[in-house]
Amino acid sequence: MTGNPENGALMEIACDESGSDGENLTGGNTDVFAHASVRLPVETAAEYVQEIRRRIRSPATEYKANHLLRDKHRAVLESFLGPAGPLRDGNAHVHLIEKTFFVVNRAVDLLLGEDGDRDRDRDRDGEGPEAITLFREGPRTFGERDWRDFLTASNQLLRVRNDAAATVPADVFFRTVDALRDEYSGTTAGVIVERLAAARSRSRAESYRERMRDSPVLFPVLNPLLPAIVSTARYWLAEGRPVRLVHDRQNMLTPERIAWIMEAAPLSDVQLVAARSDARVQLADFLAGIARKLASDELNGRGDPALTALLRPYVGTDSVWGDEGSGLRLGTAEANSAV
């Protein structure tokens, strides 16, 4: 069975995500966000879902990725990801985001980037060299506790929802970077922190916090879903054919944000559905949950080489990933470049 539509026809791509913790990227339940997309006819996807149900035989009314990830269903998982499974031959794609690196990248871009003092296009999540260097050098230079303090302060600075007064997140952030600058002066990471502590960066941070206080925010800078969807759409659009995304319902996907996504990608259409109602979205849900778990295992040094090898063909090379070792194993692009 093949899922490839005829050349030139509108492609329907089914999508779902795994690992959403809102804007809490440094203290949430997961350290990886995964957005998966699948290109298959509805009938073909339904056959594969039924085959998975037949093999697993769980009484659950709705299957999730954790059913396939159980040790006793290893054969089903390997078959799902493997070369004879439903998703090979260009029928699936995964965009991975390493959450702590996403925070560092966003903070460095806001404070040091060329357009940090204005509302940038929220689909752009390319990694700058300073963010990569700080992310890789920071933990070994600052130590675990100081690095964790920096990540937490950066997350608080950037998040829209914040119960504190408008200036407090900026004050906390700059007390943190001032201390790091003084303690680690002359180190590679310390030089970048010194730039983050400069007056120009402070002005940008205060301006950002004022905007968060005074006006509604259409594109929260720390929510990875919107840039992940745009990246997914552009992956499929690269084939030169029109694309309609069929996405699992998300509160984040308001009509205004969908309109922006359609223009930014650009897409022919975006439809929101309940995962249960579309077998293609169920398969995307499986893939997203599996990818998030396997990528997190690699990130934390407990990866399964055989499963990582099966996942790798699906991983997008524009994934937002800072850790070099796990990135090399997963196949993310940035991990293959030197600091």
Side-chain angles (χ1 to χ4, degrees):
M1 291 180 288
T2 178
N4 295 329
E6 297 178 1
N7 290 337
L10 176 73
M11 286 195 295
E12 281 202 345
I13 306 299
C15 306
D16 206 350
E17 55 79 24
S18 179
S20 178
D21 286 315
E23 294 184 286
N24 185 17
L25 301 191
T26 61
N29 297 317
T30 58
D31 51 13
V32 173
F33 177 89
H35 188 265
S37 52
V38 169
R39 173 178 62 182
L40 286 174
V42 175
E43 298 81 5
T44 303
E47 291 177 22
Y48 282 117
V49 170
Q50 287 305 312
E51 175 65 12
I52 289 170
R53 295 186 68 91
R54 183 190 68 79
R55 295 182 66 181
I56 290 180
R57 297 186 179 278
S58 168
T61 57
E62 183 177 7
Y63 278 30
K64 306 294 285 184
N66 62 358
H67 287 92
L68 284 81
L69 287 164
R70 293 170 185 166
D71 289 342
K72 64 181 177 179
H73 299 312
R74 171 78 177 231
V76 181
L77 175 58
E78 291 180 343
S79 175
F80 179 71
L81 295 175
L87 306 182
R88 287 294 179 93
D89 300 323
N91 286 328
H93 174 264
V94 177
H95 183 77
L96 295 175
I97 294 178
E98 184 184 355
K99 290 184 178 181
T100 53
F101 177 60
F102 190 74
V103 171
V104 174
N105 191 46
R106 292 300 206 195
V108 170
D109 184 56
L110 172 71
L111 301 180
L112 303 183
E114 293 181 1
D115 61 348
D117 56 352
R118 65 176 177 83
D119 283 327
R120 37 172 267 181
D121 293 334
R122 297 306 179 196
D123 64 309
R124 194 193 78 194
D125 55 5
E127 301 91 340
E130 287 176 306
I132 297 167
T133 300
L134 179 58
F135 183 78
R136 295 180 183 173
E137 294 292 331
R140 52 180 172 248
T141 300
F142 303 152
E144 182 178 352
R145 186 180 67 178
D146 284 350
W147 178 243
R148 175 55 55 183
D149 288 346
F150 172 76
L151 291 176
T152 301
S154 298
N155 198 142
Q156 288 299 109
L157 173 68
L158 295 175
R159 68 184 301 167
V160 174
R161 296 183 180 275
N162 203 310
D163 296 332
T167 58
V168 170
D171 291 342
V172 171
F173 177 82
F174 285 104
R175 283 200 300 271
T176 302
V177 295
D178 284 348
L180 293 173
R181 176 199 59 195
D182 295 342
E183 180 70 19
Y184 302 103
S185 176
T187 65
T188 300
V191 169
I192 298 174
V193 165
E194 184 175 359
R195 292 194 62 207
L196 291 175
R200 182 168 178 262
S201 296
R202 290 173 187 260
S203 176
R204 286 184 169 190
E206 290 167 0
S207 176
Y208 173 80
R209 290 311 317 168
E210 288 173 2
R211 293 199 303 274
M212 297 307 99
R213 178 193 63 192
D214 295 339
S215 62
V217 177
L218 190 56
F219 310 112
V221 69
L222 282 185
N223 194 303
L225 180 60
L226 296 180
I229 291 176
V230 172
S231 179
T232 295
R234 288 175 176 169
Y235 170 83
W236 293 105
L237 284 163
E239 295 194 13
R241 295 150 58 188
V243 172
R244 173 192 293 127
L245 289 189
V246 181
H247 205 290
D248 184 34
R249 288 175 182 165
Q250 301 282 344
N251 292 335
M252 183 73 179
L253 296 178
T254 62
E256 295 81 5
R257 288 169 179 150
I258 289 174
W260 176 84
I261 289 169
M262 289 180 61
E263 182 178 355
L267 291 164
S268 297
D269 192 19
V270 175
Q271 295 181 353
L272 301 183
V273 302
R276 281 187 179 186
S277 69
D278 193 310
R280 301 168 302 174
V281 177
Q282 292 179 52
L283 291 181
D285 178 52
F286 293 163
L287 180 58
I290 291 165
R292 183 200 60 76
K293 175 62 164 59
L294 298 185
S296 179
D297 286 347
E298 280 295 343
L299 181 63
N300 290 284
R302 54 176 184 267
D304 183 313
L307 293 179
T308 299
L310 290 175
L311 175 65
R312 184 181 175 117
Y314 305 108
V315 175
T317 56
D318 61 345
S319 294
V320 183
W321 201 267
D323 181 70
E324 189 170 18
S326 60
L328 286 168
R329 295 186 291 273
L330 290 164
T332 61
E334 190 54 60
N336 291 287
S337 64
V339 174

PDB file of all heavy atoms in Angstrom, residues 179-199:
ATOM      1  N   ALA A 179      25.631  38.323  37.889  1.00  0.00           N
ATOM      2  CA  ALA A 179      26.407  37.433  38.749  1.00  0.00           C
ATOM      3  C   ALA A 179      27.265  36.480  37.918  1.00  0.00           C
ATOM      4  O   ALA A 179      28.438  36.227  38.243  1.00  0.00           O
ATOM      5  CB  ALA A 179      25.475  36.648  39.678  1.00  0.00           C
ATOM      6  N   LEU A 180      26.711  35.950  36.841  1.00  0.00           N
ATOM      7  CA  LEU A 180      27.470  35.049  35.973  1.00  0.00           C
ATOM      8  C   LEU A 180      28.616  35.790  35.286  1.00  0.00           C
ATOM      9  O   LEU A 180      29.726  35.265  35.157  1.00  0.00           O
ATOM     10  CB  LEU A 180      26.550  34.417  34.931  1.00  0.00           C
ATOM     11  CG  LEU A 180      25.493  33.449  35.454  1.00  0.00           C
ATOM     12  CD1 LEU A 180      24.558  33.031  34.327  1.00  0.00           C
ATOM     13  CD2 LEU A 180      26.144  32.231  36.095  1.00  0.00           C
ATOM     14  N   ARG A 181      28.350  36.993  34.858  1.00  0.00           N
ATOM     15  CA  ARG A 181      29.396  37.803  34.216  1.00  0.00           C
ATOM     16  C   ARG A 181      30.566  38.024  35.162  1.00  0.00           C
ATOM     17  O   ARG A 181      31.740  37.876  34.770  1.00  0.00           O
ATOM     18  CB  ARG A 181      28.796  39.144  33.788  1.00  0.00           C
ATOM     19  CG  ARG A 181      29.791  40.134  33.197  1.00  0.00           C
ATOM     20  CD  ARG A 181      29.214  41.532  33.249  1.00  0.00           C
ATOM     21  NE  ARG A 181      28.903  41.930  34.622  1.00  0.00           N
ATOM     22  CZ  ARG A 181      28.139  42.967  34.943  1.00  0.00           C
ATOM     23  NH1 ARG A 181      27.599  43.720  34.007  1.00  0.00           N
ATOM     24  NH2 ARG A 181      27.908  43.262  36.218  1.00  0.00           N
ATOM     25  N   ASP A 182      30.270  38.372  36.401  1.00  0.00           N
ATOM     26  CA  ASP A 182      31.328  38.649  37.367  1.00  0.00           C
ATOM     27  C   ASP A 182      32.098  37.380  37.740  1.00  0.00           C
ATOM     28  O   ASP A 182      33.324  37.422  37.906  1.00  0.00           O
ATOM     29  CB  ASP A 182      30.723  39.269  38.630  1.00  0.00           C
ATOM     30  CG  ASP A 182      30.107  40.634  38.366  1.00  0.00           C
ATOM     31  OD1 ASP A 182      30.433  41.243  37.321  1.00  0.00           O
ATOM     32  OD2 ASP A 182      29.270  41.082  39.176  1.00  0.00           O
ATOM     33  N   GLU A 183      31.387  36.270  37.850  1.00  0.00           N
ATOM     34  CA  GLU A 183      32.013  35.027  38.305  1.00  0.00           C
ATOM     35  C   GLU A 183      32.835  34.348  37.211  1.00  0.00           C
ATOM     36  O   GLU A 183      33.876  33.756  37.491  1.00  0.00           O
ATOM     37  CB  GLU A 183      30.926  34.051  38.800  1.00  0.00           C
ATOM     38  CG  GLU A 183      31.440  32.712  39.296  1.00  0.00           C
ATOM     39  CD  GLU A 183      32.189  32.829  40.614  1.00  0.00           C
ATOM     40  OE1 GLU A 183      32.020  33.845  41.319  1.00  0.00           O
ATOM     41  OE2 GLU A 183      32.951  31.891  40.936  1.00  0.00           O
ATOM     42  N   TYR A 184      32.378  34.466  35.962  1.00  0.00           N
ATOM     43  CA  TYR A 184      33.004  33.680  34.890  1.00  0.00           C
ATOM     44  C   TYR A 184      33.577  34.570  33.791  1.00  0.00           C
ATOM     45  O   TYR A 184      33.627  34.191  32.629  1.00  0.00           O
ATOM     46  CB  TYR A 184      31.983  32.699  34.316  1.00  0.00           C
ATOM     47  CG  TYR A 184      31.427  31.767  35.367  1.00  0.00           C
ATOM     48  CD1 TYR A 184      30.146  31.985  35.894  1.00  0.00           C
ATOM     49  CD2 TYR A 184      32.187  30.717  35.859  1.00  0.00           C
ATOM     50  CE1 TYR A 184      29.635  31.149  36.873  1.00  0.00           C
ATOM     51  CE2 TYR A 184      31.678  29.877  36.843  1.00  0.00           C
ATOM     52  CZ  TYR A 184      30.406  30.097  37.351  1.00  0.00           C
ATOM     53  OH  TYR A 184      29.909  29.273  38.332  1.00  0.00           O
ATOM     54  N   SER A 185      34.033  35.724  34.184  1.00  0.00           N
ATOM     55  CA  SER A 185      34.633  36.667  33.234  1.00  0.00           C
ATOM     56  C   SER A 185      35.820  36.023  32.520  1.00  0.00           C
ATOM     57  O   SER A 185      36.641  35.337  33.125  1.00  0.00           O
ATOM     58  CB  SER A 185      35.099  37.922  33.982  1.00  0.00           C
ATOM     59  OG  SER A 185      35.764  38.801  33.110  1.00  0.00           O
ATOM     60  N   GLY A 186      35.893  36.239  31.210  1.00  0.00           N
ATOM     61  CA  GLY A 186      37.005  35.733  30.428  1.00  0.00           C
ATOM     62  C   GLY A 186      36.783  34.376  29.814  1.00  0.00           C
ATOM     63  O   GLY A 186      37.540  33.961  28.929  1.00  0.00           O
ATOM     64  N   THR A 187      35.760  33.657  30.248  1.00  0.00           N
ATOM     65  CA  THR A 187      35.446  32.375  29.621  1.00  0.00           C
ATOM     66  C   THR A 187      34.614  32.609  28.364  1.00  0.00           C
ATOM     67  O   THR A 187      34.045  33.692  28.161  1.00  0.00           O
ATOM     68  CB  THR A 187      34.653  31.471  30.575  1.00  0.00           C
ATOM     69  OG1 THR A 187      33.377  32.079  30.837  1.00  0.00           O
ATOM     70  CG2 THR A 187      35.404  31.273  31.883  1.00  0.00           C
ATOM     71  N   THR A 188      34.532  31.598  27.515  1.00  0.00           N
ATOM     72  CA  THR A 188      33.741  31.734  26.287  1.00  0.00           C
ATOM     73  C   THR A 188      32.283  32.037  26.605  1.00  0.00           C
ATOM     74  O   THR A 188      31.678  32.944  26.017  1.00  0.00           O
ATOM     75  CB  THR A 188      33.835  30.434  25.466  1.00  0.00           C
ATOM     76  OG1 THR A 188      35.200  30.184  25.125  1.00  0.00           O
ATOM     77  CG2 THR A 188      33.010  30.538  24.196  1.00  0.00           C
ATOM     78  N   ALA A 189      31.709  31.285  27.540  1.00  0.00           N
ATOM     79  CA  ALA A 189      30.321  31.536  27.922  1.00  0.00           C
ATOM     80  C   ALA A 189      30.182  32.883  28.633  1.00  0.00           C
ATOM     81  O   ALA A 189      29.189  33.599  28.454  1.00  0.00           O
ATOM     82  CB  ALA A 189      29.814  30.412  28.820  1.00  0.00           C
ATOM     83  N   GLY A 190      31.201  33.242  29.432  1.00  0.00           N
ATOM     84  CA  GLY A 190      31.150  34.504  30.156  1.00  0.00           C
ATOM     85  C   GLY A 190      31.136  35.709  29.240  1.00  0.00           C
ATOM     86  O   GLY A 190      30.493  36.733  29.535  1.00  0.00           O
ATOM     87  N   VAL A 191      31.808  35.637  28.096  1.00  0.00           N
ATOM     88  CA  VAL A 191      31.812  36.744  27.133  1.00  0.00           C
ATOM     89  C   VAL A 191      30.414  36.965  26.579  1.00  0.00           C
ATOM     90  O   VAL A 191      29.958  38.109  26.419  1.00  0.00           O
ATOM     91  CB  VAL A 191      32.812  36.449  25.996  1.00  0.00           C
ATOM     92  CG1 VAL A 191      32.641  37.446  24.860  1.00  0.00           C
ATOM     93  CG2 VAL A 191      34.238  36.487  26.518  1.00  0.00           C
ATOM     94  N   ILE A 192      29.693  35.879  26.298  1.00  0.00           N
ATOM     95  CA  ILE A 192      28.330  36.020  25.781  1.00  0.00           C
ATOM     96  C   ILE A 192      27.415  36.574  26.861  1.00  0.00           C
ATOM     97  O   ILE A 192      26.580  37.457  26.603  1.00  0.00           O
ATOM     98  CB  ILE A 192      27.817  34.667  25.262  1.00  0.00           C
ATOM     99  CG1 ILE A 192      28.693  34.181  24.116  1.00  0.00           C
ATOM    100  CG2 ILE A 192      26.354  34.787  24.801  1.00  0.00           C
ATOM    101  CD1 ILE A 192      28.373  32.793  23.623  1.00  0.00           C
ATOM    102  N   VAL A 193      27.568  36.091  28.092  1.00  0.00           N
ATOM    103  CA  VAL A 193      26.767  36.607  29.199  1.00  0.00           C
ATOM    104  C   VAL A 193      27.036  38.094  29.413  1.00  0.00           C
ATOM    105  O   VAL A 193      26.111  38.867  29.727  1.00  0.00           O
ATOM    106  CB  VAL A 193      27.057  35.796  30.479  1.00  0.00           C
ATOM    107  CG1 VAL A 193      26.528  36.524  31.710  1.00  0.00           C
ATOM    108  CG2 VAL A 193      26.445  34.410  30.380  1.00  0.00           C
ATOM    109  N   GLU A 194      28.279  38.508  29.237  1.00  0.00           N
ATOM    110  CA  GLU A 194      28.595  39.935  29.367  1.00  0.00           C
ATOM    111  C   GLU A 194      27.810  40.764  28.351  1.00  0.00           C
ATOM    112  O   GLU A 194      27.327  41.856  28.670  1.00  0.00           O
ATOM    113  CB  GLU A 194      30.095  40.155  29.179  1.00  0.00           C
ATOM    114  CG  GLU A 194      30.539  41.593  29.395  1.00  0.00           C
ATOM    115  CD  GLU A 194      32.043  41.755  29.330  1.00  0.00           C
ATOM    116  OE1 GLU A 194      32.748  40.742  29.129  1.00  0.00           O
ATOM    117  OE2 GLU A 194      32.510  42.897  29.493  1.00  0.00           O
ATOM    118  N   ARG A 195      27.682  40.268  27.144  1.00  0.00           N
ATOM    119  CA  ARG A 195      26.872  40.964  26.133  1.00  0.00           C
ATOM    120  C   ARG A 195      25.403  40.982  26.528  1.00  0.00           C
ATOM    121  O   ARG A 195      24.704  41.971  26.312  1.00  0.00           O
ATOM    122  CB  ARG A 195      27.037  40.299  24.775  1.00  0.00           C
ATOM    123  CG  ARG A 195      28.425  40.457  24.162  1.00  0.00           C
ATOM    124  CD  ARG A 195      28.387  40.069  22.698  1.00  0.00           C
ATOM    125  NE  ARG A 195      27.495  40.951  21.955  1.00  0.00           N
ATOM    126  CZ  ARG A 195      26.861  40.606  20.836  1.00  0.00           C
ATOM    127  NH1 ARG A 195      27.009  39.392  20.327  1.00  0.00           N
ATOM    128  NH2 ARG A 195      26.078  41.478  20.222  1.00  0.00           N
ATOM    129  N   LEU A 196      24.921  39.871  27.116  1.00  0.00           N
ATOM    130  CA  LEU A 196      23.521  39.824  27.557  1.00  0.00           C
ATOM    131  C   LEU A 196      23.251  40.823  28.682  1.00  0.00           C
ATOM    132  O   LEU A 196      22.128  41.297  28.837  1.00  0.00           O
ATOM    133  CB  LEU A 196      23.178  38.410  28.039  1.00  0.00           C
ATOM    134  CG  LEU A 196      23.111  37.311  26.980  1.00  0.00           C
ATOM    135  CD1 LEU A 196      22.885  35.956  27.631  1.00  0.00           C
ATOM    136  CD2 LEU A 196      22.018  37.602  25.956  1.00  0.00           C
ATOM    137  N   ALA A 197      24.281  41.126  29.459  1.00  0.00           N
ATOM    138  CA  ALA A 197      24.119  42.037  30.594  1.00  0.00           C
ATOM    139  C   ALA A 197      24.239  43.511  30.213  1.00  0.00           C
ATOM    140  O   ALA A 197      24.015  44.387  31.051  1.00  0.00           O
ATOM    141  CB  ALA A 197      25.165  41.709  31.667  1.00  0.00           C
ATOM    142  N   ALA A 198      24.569  43.797  28.975  1.00  0.00           N
ATOM    143  CA  ALA A 198      24.821  45.175  28.548  1.00  0.00           C
ATOM    144  C   ALA A 198      23.544  46.013  28.546  1.00  0.00           C
ATOM    145  O   ALA A 198      22.424  45.505  28.529  1.00  0.00           O
ATOM    146  CB  ALA A 198      25.444  45.176  27.153  1.00  0.00           C
ATOM    147  N   ALA A 199      23.736  47.333  28.536  1.00  0.00           N
ATOM    148  CA  ALA A 199      22.608  48.260  28.615  1.00  0.00           C
ATOM    149  C   ALA A 199      21.636  48.081  27.456  1.00  0.00           C
ATOM    150  O   ALA A 199      20.411  48.178  27.622  1.00  0.00           O
ATOM    151  CB  ALA A 199      23.134  49.693  28.649  1.00  0.00           C
TER     152      ALA A 199
END
